[in-house]
Amino acid sequence: MYWSSLGDFLAMGGHAAFVWLSFAVAVALLLGLALQSRLGMKAAEREHAEARQEAGRDNEGRRGA
């Protein structure tokens, strides 16, 4: 499909509301998943560090090794 102007491209042949809304929803979902993954990873790292401390290990590995 060929568009003669930027306005024609943005109008998407009369389907702009569907196209751009779908695009926005997809981007929002991807950003939400990335944020959720990042927060989950930080929580898992925090839990792991706490578990290591409770087990008697420091950040350098096993004691006496």
Side-chain angles (χ1 to χ4, degrees):
M1 181 175 224
Y2 175 76
W3 296 283
S4 60
S5 68
L6 181 61
D8 287 343
F9 171 74
L10 295 175
M12 290 285 168
H15 301 287
F18 303 109
V19 173
W20 296 116
L21 179 61
S22 298
F23 183 76
V25 167
V27 169
L29 287 173
L30 287 172
L31 289 173
L33 286 171
L35 179 62
Q36 181 183 16
S37 295
R38 184 175 180 110
L39 293 174
M41 183 66 174
K42 286 187 177 192
E45 287 174 344
R46 197 169 34 251
E47 290 173 12
H48 180 70
E50 290 171 2
R52 285 179 57 98
Q53 285 180 346
E54 288 176 7
R57 292 183 168 182
D58 58 5
N59 291 334
E60 297 175 8
R62 297 181 187 185
R63 287 187 176 179

